[in-house]
Amino acid sequence: MAKTPQNDTAVAGEGGIKGILEWLALAHGRSSAEDTEELLRQVLYLREAPIATPQRIKLLDLLYAHTEEVVRNELPRLNELSLPISRKIRQRVRLILELLETLTQDYFNTLAALFDPQGNTLGNGAQTSLRRAMLSIAWQIRIHHLVAAPPRPGLWQQLHAAFRTARRLGVEHHPGPRESASIQRLYTNILLTAIAQPASFSSDELEFINALVEQSGQPPALSEKISEPLDSCFWIDLDRDFPAHALSRRTPGSDIQPLYFSCAELAREIGEIRHQLDTGTPPRQLGLPEFAGTHSGQGVLRRLEKLWGLPAKRKFPRRRQSYRARLCSGLESLHRLLENPDQDVELSEWMVTNESPDGFALMHMMGSTTQLRVGDIVAIQTQKEAGNGDAWHVCIIRWAISENPEHVEVGLQLLAPRAIAARIAQPWNLQATQINALILPETPPLRKNQSLVVSPGLLNEDSRQIVLLIEQDNFAVREVRTTGIDEQTSSVEIFPILPEDME
């Protein structure tokens, strides 16, 4: 007796399910990114299988669990990548992102089948599918940040849609499995990481920010009314493909109904953490990774306190430009260049795409970028200034974006129009080598005093009797002290200085 078409479909579905289960059994215990392509293939097999929704969700959950292992294994490998990301790594990341995107869409697809005609959901299936869709989106955003690439179009809209659905079902505050974070907590965690300007942090700093957000106390509350204080208020438009905006920088239009939240309490919490670390409390005692106790960790905390508690307004408009400039990156390279302009120092070629009185945006044209790091010190010299050894504008890299293996853009904040190469002597230790440093001149009204740029961990906010050796037109010896700290990143620290005998 011939099989009916329905029987053929059922047999094909059973064969596909069996193949997926066999692959999962063979892949059990593996978490290598090399399995990503095959894992994606299994998800696509499941998408085509003609099976009932409850059975589909069970298999989708098994594939999701394996994807979670792969992603958690891959995230540490994305730390401290040089820009632009190599083609091999970008291909590996692209497959993981495609896998997560497919899982996200399939969980959204199951939601329609979880409603009966009366609008009731079947058990906790809708909440679980929403959570896993949101976690898949969160991983996509996190990976995009780690590889310095903007999130794909539509990703933020998907996140907002998942949260909107959870609110409509009234499940946004329900705790997850084993008392894990609720959907609203997951949503606000993602927003907090995004408004911290992830392009302005290195990958290890981003991982620290994620840990801070996840272990923070009460998350910001979302409201249809503007949250006080206004300086730390942010808003979201759930219909737009964007994260949250600071109210101090952009106000919502009259045609939308935004949700508002305040980060004032979170900024105070960050300030308290920084104070406890300053007074000797070990990071582990605060539930934080050891990175929190490093100079880089302290710098991240300082910046987050401002980014969340008092986001800065744009001071100057940007002007579009199109001229070439040379760039020297890194404290050691810049010190050699300024100390002796005739030395052979590796430079790269860039196109200035826009500028303002306090910075530049640059697009890479030629030369190596392997040493380029967000938070590092650099100097640029325009084509017109070429040949003038003193005409190097000293900047700090504030953000970096790399959309493909041939493309890198950076944003620079101007620190000073020039710098002086110096060395820090250690008279109490005659055998010690001298330490390379840069002296930045006063730039009123932003910087009333000179500043000293050094590698992290050498000085603190009240170091005294610092002996500077300066070889310019004449050899000079100066004794100075630090009076605070202006910048603290994983690459450099910048301290305002005064002569030792000046109060």
Side-chain angles (χ1 to χ4, degrees):
M1 181 177 176
K3 294 178 182 177
T4 64
Q6 290 85 352
N7 286 338
D8 287 338
T9 300
V11 170
E14 290 172 4
I17 293 168
K18 183 179 179 182
I20 293 170
L21 291 172
E22 287 176 350
W23 183 87
L24 283 168
L26 290 172
H28 180 70
R30 298 204 308 254
S31 57
S32 169
E34 281 65 37
D35 283 339
T36 305
E37 189 169 6
E38 188 59 37
L39 182 52
L40 174 60
R41 190 173 291 116
Q42 302 305 317
V43 176
L44 294 175
Y45 286 156
L46 177 60
R47 177 179 283 186
E48 299 301 323
I51 59 175
T53 298
Q55 192 176 12
R56 181 183 303 278
I57 292 175
K58 287 180 180 179
L59 284 170
L60 196 59
D61 288 345
L62 291 173
L63 292 167
Y64 171 88
H66 195 75
T67 301
E68 183 177 14
E69 292 179 12
V70 170
V71 172
R72 294 193 184 282
N73 182 65
E74 182 66 14
L75 288 176
R77 300 174 65 185
L78 299 180
N79 284 344
E80 293 305 321
L81 296 174
S82 61
L83 296 177
I85 306 300
S86 72
R87 194 173 297 276
K88 180 180 179 181
I89 294 175
R90 197 173 289 275
Q91 173 68 9
R92 192 172 78 230
V93 167
R94 186 192 64 78
L95 282 171
I96 293 175
L97 290 172
E98 186 178 351
L99 171 60
L100 290 168
E101 182 180 353
T102 306
L103 280 171
T104 301
Q105 191 57 58
D106 283 3
Y107 272 117
F108 275 129
N109 292 342
T110 65
L111 290 174
L114 289 173
F115 292 93
D116 66 20
Q118 285 73 42
N120 299 315
T121 60
L122 302 177
N124 293 321
Q127 182 187 350
T128 301
S129 291
L130 278 171
R131 283 183 58 82
R132 292 186 169 167
M134 186 169 284
L135 285 167
S136 298
I137 294 170
W139 281 327
Q140 290 178 70
I141 293 172
R142 189 168 173 180
I143 291 171
H144 278 294
H145 291 164
L146 287 172
V147 298
R152 64 171 173 79
L155 191 56
W156 284 105
Q157 275 183 310
Q158 278 191 323
L159 180 70
H160 298 328
F163 178 64
R164 192 201 299 270
T165 302
R167 293 184 82 200
R168 188 172 69 248
L169 297 176
V171 299
E172 73 272 29
H173 296 297
H174 293 186
R178 296 178 294 279
E179 297 301 312
S180 57
S182 66
I183 287 177
Q184 177 151 323
R185 178 62 190 261
L186 292 175
Y187 181 65
T188 55
N189 284 356
I190 300 168
L191 292 177
L192 289 172
T193 304
I195 64 175
Q197 300 178 5
S200 67
F201 290 95
S202 63
S203 53
D204 55 343
E205 291 171 340
L206 286 173
E207 291 302 282
F208 175 49
I209 292 172
N210 273 291
L212 270 176
V213 168
E214 290 174 2
Q215 70 89 49
S216 62
Q218 188 67 22
L222 301 174
S223 171
E224 284 80 12
K225 296 181 180 180
I226 293 180
S227 304
E228 298 284 349
L230 298 182
D231 286 342
S232 58
C233 181
F234 294 80
W235 60 274
I236 325 147
D237 182 354
L238 296 181
D239 293 322
R240 302 290 179 87
D241 191 26
F242 292 101
H245 302 280
L247 187 62
S248 61
R249 299 191 67 168
R250 182 182 299 182
T251 55
S254 58
D255 58 333
I256 65 174
Q257 295 180 322
L259 289 177
Y260 298 92
F261 63 96
S262 172
C263 290
E265 185 57 38
L266 180 60
R268 281 193 289 271
E269 184 179 337
I270 294 298
E272 178 59 28
I273 289 173
R274 190 164 63 83
H275 174 72
Q276 292 184 58
L277 291 170
D278 284 342
T279 55
T281 304
R284 188 176 303 175
Q285 193 171 320
L286 300 174
L288 296 174
E290 292 301 318
F291 182 85
T294 66
H295 286 260
S296 299
Q298 289 284 320
V300 172
L301 292 170
R302 288 176 186 275
R303 292 168 62 191
L304 288 179
E305 198 173 352
K306 293 180 180 178
L307 288 168
W308 285 332
L310 196 65
K313 302 176 185 178
R314 187 174 300 282
K315 297 176 182 177
F316 305 103
R318 297 171 177 168
R319 299 187 301 275
R320 290 189 178 276
Q321 299 289 351
S322 182
Y323 61 85
R324 290 204 175 214
R326 297 188 299 168
L327 183 142
C328 177
S329 62
L331 175 60
E332 295 301 320
S333 295
L334 187 50
H335 186 276
R336 291 198 306 274
L337 177 70
L338 296 176
E339 190 175 51
N340 184 357
D342 296 329
Q343 283 195 51
D344 186 17
V345 177
E346 186 175 40
L347 304 176
S348 51
E349 297 286 333
W350 298 73
M351 180 71 73
V352 177
T353 56
N354 70 60
E355 66 176 324
S356 70
D358 64 348
F360 308 85
L362 277 63
M363 182 172 65
H364 181 245
M365 303 296 290
M366 295 171 53
S368 174
T369 61
T370 55
Q371 301 303 314
L372 211 62
R373 294 287 183 273
V374 171
D376 205 355
I377 198 88
V378 298
I380 68 167
Q381 184 183 69
T382 67
Q383 276 184 326
K384 293 180 180 179
E385 298 165 331
N388 183 350
D390 294 330
W392 286 93
H393 305 279
V394 182
C395 307
I396 192 167
I397 303 177
R398 282 303 183 205
W399 55 262
I401 294 175
S402 175
E403 296 188 40
N404 60 61
E406 289 78 33
H407 180 83
V408 180
E409 292 183 44
V410 296
L412 307 182
Q413 180 187 342
L414 180 63
L415 297 177
R418 59 186 178 83
I420 300 171
R423 298 178 188 272
I424 300 176
Q426 303 180 59
W428 58 90
N429 184 359
L430 297 177
Q431 303 303 316
T433 58
Q434 297 172 358
I435 299 166
N436 291 338
L438 299 177
I439 300 174
L440 304 181
E442 307 93 330
T443 53
L446 296 179
R447 186 177 293 110
K448 297 180 181 179
N449 301 315
Q450 291 185 335
S451 298
L452 192 64
V453 183
V454 294
S455 298
L458 300 175
L459 304 174
N460 55 48
E461 297 178 50
D462 57 355
S463 294
R464 303 188 70 94
Q465 298 179 327
I466 305 166
V467 178
L468 296 179
L469 309 179
I470 305 167
E471 291 188 52
Q472 214 171 11
D473 297 331
N474 298 304
F475 181 78
V477 179
R478 293 176 55 192
E479 191 173 26
V480 300
R481 60 184 176 87
T482 59
T483 62
I485 186 165
D486 288 338
E487 293 286 348
Q488 195 172 30
T489 75
S490 58
S491 300
V492 294
E493 292 179 333
I494 304 177
F495 300 90
I497 56 175
L498 287 173
E500 180 61 53
D501 56 359
M502 181 181 293
E503 294 298 332

